[in-house]
């Protein structure tokens, strides 16, 4: 298999002569994500912005010869499947994919296109059974809109509960995950809500409805953007929120274009670099969650308030240490932001936290206690640092009411957006590089992705963590984050005093 300098993504889909959807939209999307797009055309549709005049499915040998030729030279990093015009095509593509995936497991995203935005049917009736039997078990994600979900599940999906039930039913039929798009019908007025059903877990991604007619090709664009992100190595949830933001940006920036007399194409406007285009991740404790059947009233957390901000959005060098002795040594060297992270607590834990709080007061530190939020409240600490898993178990309302600052760990776009909903005092992003301190190998971000995340929140206190050495610190600082957290680069340094000075020089410059 030849290495390529850009990830290769295939689109197995129909051509839209009007240039708004199908492979035309897919190729524009792949290019925006820095991927090389290849196509296997299933149908040569005759369309404009108002109607579909013909579908013109290609014969099976024409379809398979495209796929076989691509396989010989342009092996994909991900595949997006769009319009499959009849049961024969579904079966042929499924058979081809089964063999391909045995050579190498790559992500497959299927957008089960059934009806054009003009309302015209695009597939022969009765392909649903073949899709369910042969294709779904090969897919990592399917992205039906609510109408397509209804057709596949054979049940009405008029409420949030029914959408979830239908998604569960299709996952039981064999596909790994579903993203049910909500652009065509609002459960809450003014909100475009997509449901991601993955591994038995529901996530609602809420975007603001953008008024305007230029929405042709949104489904094709979304599924292609997800496939491109998967080809770039993004985890599924990150791929879904970035792709939704890409479509939202296209709707917002493309709404003023005048192309044709019907529904014009959604814009393809480059990487989504503005936070306003990213969805809110719905939290069970917020009021509107009730409308999505997602409510958990036990959690009494005041959303409007968020957590107390630190005195600066640039927290500087942020050593994470495991003893009060280290806190004192580093405070003496002028370090202002510190964390006590004790992973194997002994019987003297309370004493350690009290000692840390006392040092924090003496040196006027921004001192965060990792994990032990109850003790931190009881001892009157400056702040608490929590991981994603802690968000479910910790009493955030109690931390908020006690006036403690809160830092939250995040690993990628999805977790960043989720944690941002709580408006914590800072957001940590990791792991930037491989580290020996903790196994983060499945959650590495790198500096390019870090820079993209940092650009979304330019004025927010952001901390980068994970594998950051002195040599790597300048590249991290250049992403715009105002703080670098380190364990081994300070506590494992031959000369920690020198390491502190050198890090401070990099961050302050
Ligand atoms: C500044 C900072 N960022 C991230 C972490 C990691 O916290 P968490 O995910 O809770 O993992 P543990 O540290 O508890 O292993 C951190 N401690 N500090
Ligand atoms: C504790 C921790 N949390 C991480 C995260 O990504 O959430 S990475 C990490 C280890 C940081 O240690 P070092 O500076 O030695 O690489
Ligand atoms: Mg923790």
């Amino acid at each position: 298999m030849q290495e390529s300098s850009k990830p290769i993504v295939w689109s197995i889909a129909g051509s839209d002569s009007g240039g708004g959807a199908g492979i035309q939209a897919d190729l524009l999307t792949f290019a925006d994500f820095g991927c090389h797009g290849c196509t296997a055309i299933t149908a040569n549709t005759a369309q404009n912005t108002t109607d579909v005049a013909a579908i013109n499915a290609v014969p099976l040998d024409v379809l398979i010869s495209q796929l076989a030729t691509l396989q010989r030279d342009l092996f994909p990093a991900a595949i997006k499947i769009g319009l499959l015009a009849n049961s024969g095509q579904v079966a042929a593509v499924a058979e081809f994919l089964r063999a391909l995936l045995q050579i190498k497991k790559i992500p497959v995203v299927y957008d089960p296109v059934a009806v054009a935005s003009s309302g015209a049917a695009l597939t022969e009736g009765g392909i649903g059974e073949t899709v369910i039997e042969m294709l779904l078990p090969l897919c990592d994600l399917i992205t039906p809109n609510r109408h397509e979900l209804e057709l596949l599940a054979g049940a009405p999906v008029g409420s949030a509960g029914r959408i979830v039930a239908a998604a569960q039913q299709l996952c039981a039929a064999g596909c790994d995950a579903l993203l049910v798009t909500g652009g065509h019908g609002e459960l809450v007025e003014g909100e475009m809500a997509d449901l991601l059903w993955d591994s038995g877990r529901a996530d609602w991604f809420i975007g603001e409805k953008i008024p305007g007619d230029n929405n042709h090709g949104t489904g094709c664009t979304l599924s292609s953007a997800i496939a491109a992100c998967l080809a770039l190595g993004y985890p599924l949830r990150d791929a879904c929120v970035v792709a939704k933001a890409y479509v939202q940006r296209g709707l917002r920036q493309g709404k003023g274009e005048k192309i044709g007399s019907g529904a014009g194409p959604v814009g393809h406007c480059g990487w989504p670099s503005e936070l306003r285009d990213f969805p809110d991740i719905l939290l069970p404790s917020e009021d509107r969650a009730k409308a999505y059947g997602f409510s958990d009233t036990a959690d009494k957390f005041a959303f409007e308030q968020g957590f107390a901000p630190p005195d600066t959005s640039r927290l500087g060098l942020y050593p994470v240490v495991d003893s009060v002795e280290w806190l004192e040594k580093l405070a003496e060297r002028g370090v202002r932001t510190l964390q006590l992270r004790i992973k194997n607590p002994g019987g003297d834990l309370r004493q350690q936290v009290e000692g840390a709080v006392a040092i924090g007061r003496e040196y006027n530190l921004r001192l965060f206690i990792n994990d032990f939020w109850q003790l931190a409240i009881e001892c009157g600490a400056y702040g608490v640092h929590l991981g994603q898993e802690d968000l479910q178990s910790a009493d955030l309302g109690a931390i908020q009411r006690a006036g403690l600052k809160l830092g939250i760990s995040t690993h990628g776009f999805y977790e960043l957006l989720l944690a941002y909903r709580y408006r914590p005092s800072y957001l940590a992003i990791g792991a930037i590089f491989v580290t020996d301190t903790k196994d983060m190998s499945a959650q590495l971000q790198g500096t390019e992705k870090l820079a993209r995340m940092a650009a979304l929140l330019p004025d927010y206190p952001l901390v980068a963590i994970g594998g950051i050495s002195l040599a790597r610190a300048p590249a991290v600082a250049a992403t715009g984050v105002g703080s670098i957290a380190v364990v081994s680069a300070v506590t494992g340094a031959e000369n920690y005093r020198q390491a502190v000075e050198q890090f401070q020089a990099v961050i302050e410059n």
Side-chain angles (χ1 to χ4, degrees):
M1 242 171 269
Q2 199 73 28
E3 276 291 309
S4 302
S5 55
K6 285 179 180 180
I8 292 173
V9 188
W10 291 3
S11 166
I12 306 174
S15 160
D16 171 2
S17 56
I23 57 149
Q24 285 80 355
D26 298 349
L27 288 175
L28 290 171
T29 306
F30 297 153
D32 267 348
F33 281 89
C35 295
H36 175 76
C38 298
T39 59
I41 296 180
T42 57
N44 185 355
T45 76
Q47 298 187 54
N48 56 29
T49 62
T50 61
D51 69 304
V52 181
I55 309 292
N56 299 317
V58 306
L60 294 186
D61 60 331
V62 174
L63 176 55
I64 295 303
S65 81
Q66 297 172 77
L67 292 169
T69 309
L70 289 178
Q71 184 187 339
R72 287 200 293 277
D73 184 42
L74 295 159
F75 202 93
I79 297 179
K80 170 251 161 87
I81 305 173
L83 171 64
L84 296 173
N86 51 49
S87 300
Q89 288 193 348
V90 176
V93 167
E95 203 175 307
F96 180 89
L97 272 186
R98 200 174 304 112
L100 189 88
L101 295 175
Q102 273 169 9
I103 300 169
K104 190 171 178 204
K105 180 78 189 93
I106 48 152
V108 177
V109 178
Y110 174 38
D111 180 22
V113 179
V115 178
S117 25
S118 61
L122 290 170
T123 54
E124 280 175 14
I127 74 164
E129 268 177 32
T130 323
V131 164
I132 289 171
E133 263 171 43
M134 299 190 68
L135 193 54
L136 289 200
L138 302 172
C139 295
D140 293 272
L141 179 74
I142 65 167
T143 61
N145 59 33
R146 292 197 195 136
H147 179 65
E148 290 154 354
L149 178 68
E150 195 163 287
L151 287 179
L152 283 173
V157 295
S159 67
R162 287 189 161 180
I163 292 169
V164 172
Q168 267 174 296
Q169 179 192 327
L170 286 180
C171 275
C175 99
D176 283 354
L178 274 95
L179 181 68
V180 182
T181 61
H184 298 286
E186 294 156 61
L187 292 170
V188 172
E189 204 185 329
E191 293 187 351
M192 295 197 298
D194 297 353
L195 168 79
L196 177 64
W197 181 262
D198 177 25
S199 313
R201 169 175 154 186
D203 267 300
W204 287 95
F205 302 143
I206 317 286
E208 188 192 339
K209 186 172 172 64
I210 309 254
D213 291 334
N214 292 346
N215 55 15
H216 183 46
T218 43
C220 304
T221 298
L222 180 81
S223 50
S224 298
I226 295 172
C229 288
L230 294 175
L232 292 169
Y234 283 30
L236 182 66
R237 284 190 175 80
D238 281 12
C240 289
V241 295
V242 170
K244 186 166 169 68
Y246 177 71
V247 173
Q248 188 79 351
R249 180 180 172 88
L251 287 168
R252 184 169 58 76
Q253 294 200 359
K255 71 177 183 218
E257 297 282 354
K258 188 71 201 128
I259 295 173
S261 49
V266 61
H268 291 87
C269 308
W271 185 272
S273 54
E274 291 179 67
L275 185 66
R276 62 174 163 166
D277 292 323
F278 280 76
D280 278 352
I281 315 267
L282 188 69
L283 296 178
S285 40
E286 60 185 307
D287 279 348
R288 63 175 167 175
K290 290 188 198 99
Y292 294 95
F294 199 61
S295 184
D296 175 2
T297 45
D299 183 358
K300 299 233 177 16
F301 172 70
F303 270 94
E304 329 64 60
Q305 279 170 29
F307 288 84
D311 56 306
T312 169
S313 64
R314 302 187 70 80
L315 296 171
L317 174 63
Y318 182 0
V320 175
V321 301
D322 62 1
S323 70
V324 177
E325 291 70 36
W326 265 116
L327 291 176
E328 187 151 30
K329 285 199 289 188
L330 293 168
E332 278 169 359
R333 306 311 301 172
V335 177
R336 287 280 328 275
T337 310
L338 282 154
Q339 182 183 130
L340 180 68
R341 176 178 181 265
I342 296 179
K343 280 295 157 185
N344 299 303
D348 63 345
L349 180 64
R350 174 177 287 273
Q351 224 178 316
Q352 295 252 23
V353 174
E354 281 171 353
V357 171
I359 301 279
R361 293 217 175 107
E362 185 182 339
Y363 288 89
N364 194 23
L365 302 179
R366 303 178 199 102
L367 174 72
F368 292 85
I369 306 295
N370 185 36
D371 296 344
F372 302 107
W373 58 272
Q374 279 145 314
L375 260 184
I377 294 176
E378 285 165 27
C379 299
Y382 172 88
V384 175
H385 182 92
L386 294 179
Q388 289 279 319
E389 319 74 48
D390 307 319
L391 295 179
Q392 271 85 54
S393 56
D395 184 345
L396 298 184
I399 298 170
Q400 188 185 49
R401 285 189 294 279
L404 268 64
K405 314 270 190 286
L406 173 68
I408 303 181
S409 296
T410 74
H411 310 92
F413 284 93
Y414 167 85
E415 289 188 4
L416 187 75
L417 294 173
L418 179 71
Y420 178 66
R421 294 299 324 283
Y422 296 98
R423 299 298 190 272
S425 313
Y426 71 77
L427 288 157
I429 301 174
I432 311 306
F433 307 106
V434 174
T435 166
D436 291 334
T437 304
K438 182 175 175 181
D439 181 12
M440 299 300 299
S441 49
Q443 294 179 299
L444 298 180
Q445 310 303 322
T447 48
E448 194 181 326
K449 198 168 168 193
L450 173 65
R452 292 200 189 283
M453 288 187 264
L456 297 180
L457 292 156
D459 302 317
Y460 212 80
L462 297 180
V463 176
I465 185 168
I468 305 176
S469 60
L470 193 56
R472 287 165 162 170
V476 175
T479 64
V481 294
S483 176
I484 291 181
V486 290
V487 178
S488 50
V490 164
T491 57
E494 260 178 42
N495 181 340
Y496 78 87
R497 294 184 181 86
Q498 195 183 24
V500 163
E501 266 173 38
Q502 289 171 325
F503 267 109
Q504 281 174 331
V506 170
I507 297 169
E508 276 151 32
N509 288 334

